[in-house]
Amino acid sequence: MKTVRTLLLACLALSALPASAADEVIVYSARTEELIKPLFDAYTGKTGVEIRYITDKEGPLLARLQAEGENTPADMLITVDAGNLWQAAERGVLAPYASGTLETHVPAHLRDPENRWYGLSVRARTLVYSTERVDPASLSTYEALADPAWKGRLCLRTSKKVYNQSLVAMMIARLGEERTEAVVRGWVANLATAPFSNDTQVMEAIAAGQCDVGIVNTYYFGRLQKKEPGIQLALFWPNQAESGVHVNVSGAGITRHAKHREAAGKLLEWLASAEAQGLFTSLNMEYPVNPEVAPDPAVAAWGGFRADPANVAEAGRLQAQAVMLMDRAGYR
Amino acid sequence: MTAATAVNAARAARRGLRRVPAWRLAALGLAGVTAVPLLVVFAAWLTPETEIWRHLARTVLGGLVNNTLALIAGVGAGVLVLGVGLAWLTARCEFPGRRFFDWALMLPLAVPAYVLAFVVLGLLDFSGPVQTGLRGMLGQDLRLPEVRSAGGVIAVMTLAFYPYVYMLTRAAFLGLGRGTLEAARLLGLGPWATFFRVALPTARPAIVAGLALALMETLADFGTVAVFNFDTFTTAIYKAWFGLFNLQAAAQLATFLLLFVALALYAERRLRGGARYHEGGRGAPAPRVRLRGGRATLAVTAAALVFGLAFVVPMVQLLIWAVDAMGDLDRRYLNLLWHTLGLGGSAALVTVSAALVLAHARRVDGDPLTRGAAGLATLGYALPGSVLAVGVMLAFTALDNGLNTLSRLVTGEAHGPLLAGSLAGLLLAYLVRFMAVAYGPVGSALERLRPSLPEAARCLGAGPLEVLRRIHLPLLRPGLLTAALLVAVEVMKEMPATLLLRPFGWDTLAVRIYELTSEGLWERAALPAVTLVLAGLLPVVLLVRRSAGN
């Protein structure tokens, strides 16, 4: 009994303390430390606002945010893939944050129509091919990779990765479920080997001659190119005459129960500003969302492309459908 | 009745009253604590997800179950052959290099399975140096069997998990007294018959404990199968959660893992029946069998092959990669190292203490409730880390939210989370996850302790605590140390629960490895991986030194 009373008193004593300092923002991030810490450091250096964060996969972070409810310490959720942002918004853990600055910096199709989240960097998922064995003129669209001409020549990353789930989800939005399933079945039939666990392996397999063409996010190609400048691979921008290249975002939103809502809002605005956007593209070779910021020179060297203008939130709405479709098609 | 006997009778009665409930209560309390996250997982059945189940059953479930069963069979057979075989070689035989392999064969314990997995794939996949080199020599059309297959995963897991069987079995073989073995030989048993009919049955609690750890690790593994993109029951759990965003369905899938493990453990207990195995007296250790000629060569080759594949090759590859990433080595690494060691040490202390209480209670008080409690408390090991972590997190946030409501009522202000995201939460997750790791060695050490010893002590008037302090603890010290060091190594390698539940800023080496590998930066993950292996070697070397004293 005595210990219980002591514990209770201790809790009450703790509760009398201020919950946290005023000049800080607490972030749950599914974007790895590697890619956010330099941004946070720059912001803290500039403004003196401390940023505390944990990183994890989006699933556990979202579960934690939901369970903590109004007692969450988190002010901001940063995650990759619009599908995850859409889920977070659907589950009510993000609050709308209207801001003129953000509206000018982030194009409409790269943010939530209800302002619950904003894209911060653009990731293009495109084709990569062997410059030794593939004539780029033989490439056209994602869908065309289902053609029997590519039998035994295609390498893919696992369907468990959200990037592929979003790609297929956006195809469902565009082509409908039936045609998309036929395409995915065609892909599976064309595989040279079982799907890989990451994009880099896909590219290395193409370079080694196990297959000729694959689908990857451009920044993985950038990293590999940096490591092996002479690698016999090139990017191809598909669907230019049709829907455009599939793009996705990493992004952030402010939590519904943020204790430092204003400070978090300022941070979010800064993340979309020219200064931070320059860091985004140079850190990870992604494309800036802010149209006024030029991509990193290495990124710009891959040439311009027409991106799919559909709102990336669709990827979230159709994600579960896409996952089930890929299961049916036998895409592991 | 004289006054003295009356006092004695009263004392005995009081002791009798106090003894049973105290241990039982402690065991039930501990089981309760560990059961809460498991119950949270089971509670997912309150909202059945029939649509997802139907989808899984129609599409992938069959394959998943087959894959999982193949893994269990393959890894089970693999760790038994390697673990028991090598334990017999180093504990009971003498061959060139025996003293070295004795401890060297434990080192792979420090290599996390997910690290071994990415090294093996980096080396052996189509685009890796081995196949590229072979194609250079034998022609570009060379096609070798696929590494990313059931066989590949089984090989990696066998090499990563055999040390559990090896360590525990080796200790049991070393403990075989000269008397036991000599009696067997005197009764006319040859060396093989002695092994199968005397040594194996005596070591069975240890072998089963090791096998159970290896198989639960196999069932719960996510890292290795994710690297190989090999679909198991665990990957289905993660897919339901991350792909279909359905935590309920994920938890429901996870309950099947738990049921499966509970059944397996129950079956083992039933099969063993009433058999009890106790050390046949301390006495001098039996002399080793000296192997010569072809047999000695075979023994050295086997030991060297396992050690090389499970430890030397991955370490060399990691070091080669790490050299390229030395630029990453900064002050933060000290912090990561400190967090890793600190968490490993404190979790070991907490978990082993709890395991001792549980195992002791089960022994002095064998009623079904206490036995069930002990069984329940060891199930967490079979649960994939993230699912377990969510269970702990949900339980803690519920408590936190309650406390916050209370504090808002009293003071008008909430204090934010106290448990979730605190060190206590993390340690509880480790306790639940690794109770089985501690319970195995502690329990099997207790089982091999002759019941007559504490009974004699009790007859001589020692109280239960005194028996624990003066009889059990000294005799159990080896088992307790083994348990503590095993837990420490496990905790240092642990990834998903650490990720989800660590307090702000408490990054560990495993967290760093996760961050880099999730970006596909395997080469750069080599530096934290090497550091993690080296940190993990600390407890392993302590284990080795302890067992060398045997």
Side-chain angles (χ1 to χ4, degrees):
Chain A
M1 219 30 234
K2 205 173 163 198
T3 37
V4 174
R5 207 177 307 141
T6 322
L7 263 176
L8 213 60
L9 280 175
C11 289
L12 292 181
L14 271 172
S15 65
L17 297 170
S20 45
D23 278 348
E24 66 168 6
V25 179
I26 297 177
V27 179
Y28 287 0
S29 171
R31 199 175 158 91
T32 59
E33 183 193 37
E34 186 75 12
L35 301 177
I36 51 163
K37 191 167 185 296
L39 286 155
F40 290 167
D41 286 348
Y43 189 68
T44 304
K46 188 180 141 91
T47 61
V49 175
E50 290 293 330
I51 300 172
R52 290 199 290 157
Y53 58 90
I54 50 165
T55 54
D56 197 346
K57 290 190 271 281
E58 42 283 329
L61 284 182
L62 192 53
R64 182 162 166 182
L65 266 172
Q66 275 189 281
E68 286 170 342
E70 60 180 314
N71 295 315
T72 186
D75 302 308
M76 182 185 279
L77 174 70
I78 298 185
T79 173
V80 293
D81 200 279
N84 294 323
L85 290 162
W86 183 87
Q87 277 292 344
E90 269 312 277
R91 275 149 204 260
V93 300
L94 300 178
Y97 185 83
S99 146
T101 320
L102 283 166
E103 268 169 41
T104 44
H105 287 342
V106 185
H109 71 286
L110 302 177
R111 55 178 150 90
D112 177 38
E114 293 172 44
N115 297 326
R116 291 167 299 183
W117 50 266
Y118 294 87
L120 292 174
S121 62
V122 175
R123 332 181 111 194
R125 191 154 187 82
T126 193
L127 308 191
V128 63
Y129 64 94
S130 158
T131 50
E132 292 169 298
R133 297 182 303 279
V134 174
D135 174 8
S138 64
L139 296 165
S140 58
T141 61
Y142 300 104
E143 297 90 295
L145 291 182
D147 192 282
W150 294 101
K151 189 153 189 69
R153 300 175 67 191
L154 178 66
C155 274
L156 290 176
R157 183 182 189 160
T158 169
S159 69
K160 291 174 202 78
K161 187 65 197 182
V162 67
Y163 304 154
N164 285 332
Q165 295 167 356
S166 289
L167 171 65
V168 172
M170 295 304 267
M171 276 171 76
I172 295 176
R174 193 153 46 82
L175 306 172
E177 186 151 353
E178 209 172 312
R179 277 186 61 200
T180 305
E181 187 166 336
V183 169
V184 175
R185 280 184 193 278
W187 287 352
V188 173
N190 287 343
L191 283 179
T193 181
F196 292 92
S197 60
N198 72 53
D199 281 8
T200 310
Q201 287 172 310
V202 169
M203 289 183 290
E204 281 171 349
I206 299 174
Q210 196 171 15
C211 45
D212 298 333
V213 60
I215 303 177
V216 297
N217 279 6
T218 54
Y219 53 92
Y220 290 110
F221 176 73
R223 286 185 204 158
L224 189 63
Q225 216 180 20
K226 227 180 231 176
K227 208 175 74 181
E228 294 174 53
I231 198 155
Q232 303 285 312
L233 296 177
L235 294 177
F236 178 85
W237 305 115
N239 296 53
Q240 289 304 284
E242 297 93 351
S243 52
V245 171
H246 169 66
V247 289
N248 208 318
V249 292
S250 76
I254 295 174
T255 63
R256 178 172 298 276
H257 302 289
K259 311 289 179 289
H260 313 97
R261 186 176 155 80
E262 210 151 303
K266 288 219 175 72
L267 173 62
L268 190 55
E269 284 172 358
W270 179 79
L271 287 171
S273 75
E275 187 184 356
Q277 288 287 305
L279 271 173
F280 263 107
T281 174
S282 64
L283 268 175
N284 195 32
M285 308 181 83
E286 289 168 87
Y287 292 90
V289 278
N290 189 331
E292 281 155 38
V293 178
D296 186 81
V299 175
W302 303 328
F305 60 88
R306 207 171 73 79
D308 187 345
N311 192 302
V312 288
E314 284 292 280
R317 192 173 62 82
L318 295 166
Q319 183 173 335
Q321 213 177 324
V323 170
M324 292 191 176
L325 184 152
M326 291 191 282
D327 276 346
R328 285 199 302 277
Y331 179 8
R332 283 210 280 127
Chain B
M1 193 190 273
T2 66
T5 46
V7 167
N8 274 341
R11 198 181 281 158
R14 203 168 55 227
R15 214 182 281 143
L17 270 179
R18 262 181 31 205
R19 186 192 74 199
V20 177
W23 285 116
R24 193 184 293 174
L25 281 181
L28 290 180
L30 272 172
V33 168
T34 44
V36 168
L38 300 185
L39 287 177
V40 170
V41 173
F42 271 95
W45 280 106
L46 294 176
T47 45
E49 296 290 340
T50 37
E51 198 196 329
I52 288 185
W53 276 100
R54 209 174 303 138
H55 164 74
L56 289 176
R58 258 200 304 245
T59 54
V60 289
L61 204 59
L64 298 176
V65 171
N66 281 343
N67 280 353
T68 307
L69 291 177
L71 269 197
I72 290 179
V75 177
V79 296
L80 276 183
V81 169
L82 290 193
V84 177
L86 292 171
W88 182 254
L89 274 183
T90 60
R92 300 259 53 100
C93 301
E94 190 62 71
F95 56 91
R98 197 270 305 162
R99 277 171 187 283
F100 168 74
F101 288 118
D102 218 7
W103 56 270
L105 286 169
M106 288 192 208
L107 298 187
L109 195 65
V111 184
Y114 52 83
V115 168
L116 189 63
F118 74 66
V119 169
V120 163
L121 217 52
L123 275 175
L124 295 184
D125 209 2
F126 186 89
S127 58
V130 173
Q131 288 211 43
T132 306
L134 285 175
R135 279 198 305 277
M137 286 188 293
L138 304 170
Q140 289 303 314
D141 293 333
L142 179 75
R143 289 292 181 271
L144 296 176
E146 188 68 76
V147 191
R148 292 174 297 127
S149 61
V153 180
I154 289 173
V156 166
M157 287 194 178
T158 299
L159 288 174
F161 300 149
Y162 87 84
Y164 297 112
V165 179
Y166 172 76
M167 281 187 55
L168 301 182
T169 311
R170 176 177 166 279
F173 283 159
L174 283 173
L176 280 177
R178 177 180 210 128
T180 315
L181 290 181
E182 274 179 358
R185 302 301 289 267
L186 277 176
L187 288 168
L189 293 184
W192 284 105
T194 311
F195 173 72
F196 281 108
R197 291 175 57 185
V198 179
L200 269 191
T202 319
R204 192 166 117 177
I207 295 175
V208 170
L211 180 66
L213 288 183
L215 289 186
M216 286 201 251
E217 190 86 62
T218 304
L219 282 176
D221 171 87
F222 181 65
T224 313
V225 291
V227 170
F228 276 75
N229 190 32
F230 186 74
D231 289 344
T232 63
F233 218 71
T234 314
T235 54
I237 293 172
Y238 281 75
K239 188 170 197 167
W241 186 3
F242 299 158
L244 302 170
F245 275 96
N246 198 320
L247 186 53
Q248 303 296 329
Q252 285 160 21
L253 281 165
T255 57
F256 282 91
L257 281 186
L258 289 178
L259 284 182
F260 181 80
V261 172
L263 274 179
L265 291 177
Y266 178 73
E268 197 280 327
R269 298 248 174 249
R270 289 310 297 251
L271 281 176
R272 197 197 295 179
R276 283 276 171 275
Y277 307 100
H278 303 297
E279 237 171 294
R282 307 286 290 172
R288 294 167 189 275
V289 179
R290 186 165 288 280
L291 303 179
R292 291 175 204 287
R295 286 181 175 190
T297 318
L298 212 62
V300 178
T301 316
L305 202 64
V306 174
F307 178 61
L309 290 177
F311 192 77
V312 180
V313 173
M315 276 308 273
V316 168
Q317 175 66 78
L318 284 177
L319 284 171
I320 291 172
W321 280 337
V323 168
D324 287 338
M326 281 316 263
D328 286 352
L329 194 64
D330 54 18
R331 220 164 11 94
R332 268 194 316 155
Y333 262 85
L334 273 183
N335 243 329
L336 295 178
L337 187 64
W338 159 240
H339 290 157
T340 308
L341 291 171
L343 286 178
S346 30
L349 198 69
V350 172
T351 311
V352 172
S353 314
L356 182 62
V357 171
L358 208 57
H360 188 71
R362 193 185 176 282
R363 188 174 154 92
V364 297
D365 187 6
D367 76 304
L369 202 59
T370 316
R371 284 210 309 263
L376 189 66
T378 53
L379 282 181
Y381 199 46
L383 212 53
S386 281
V387 178
L388 175 73
V390 165
V392 173
M393 194 257 315
L394 289 177
F396 270 31
T397 42
L399 201 58
D400 269 344
N401 292 346
L403 283 173
N404 269 311
T405 311
L406 187 71
S407 115
R408 221 175 269 125
L409 275 177
V410 180
T411 65
E413 215 178 319
H415 52 62
L418 282 177
L419 292 170
S422 72
L423 276 182
L426 194 51
L427 288 178
L428 176 71
Y430 291 146
L431 174 74
V432 179
R433 177 110 172 81
F434 298 122
M435 178 61 97
V437 175
Y439 190 80
V442 172
S444 66
L446 263 176
E447 272 193 49
R448 286 154 42 85
L449 202 74
R450 266 202 252 214
S452 53
L453 266 174
E455 275 162 19
R458 294 304 299 270
C459 285
L460 293 169
L465 278 181
E466 201 178 357
V467 172
L468 182 66
R469 187 170 58 81
R470 292 183 54 190
I471 306 281
H472 283 137
L473 282 184
L475 285 176
L476 290 177
R477 194 173 293 146
L480 292 182
L481 256 170
T482 305
L485 296 169
L486 272 175
V487 172
V489 179
E490 286 294 331
V491 166
M492 294 199 297
K493 296 191 285 189
E494 205 282 337
M495 198 183 272
T498 314
L499 272 170
L500 181 58
L501 295 165
R502 78 204 130 117
F504 290 107
W506 272 78
D507 287 6
T508 65
L509 289 163
V511 168
R512 182 98 187 119
I513 296 175
Y514 160 76
E515 298 249 330
L516 292 168
T517 49
S518 71
E519 286 292 314
L521 300 169
W522 293 1
E523 280 94 341
R524 283 187 56 202
L527 183 64
V530 167
T531 321
L532 180 59
V533 173
L534 292 179
L537 281 182
L538 274 179
V540 175
V541 166
L542 285 174
L543 266 174
V544 167
R545 286 191 43 188
R546 182 193 73 60
S547 65
N550 252 333

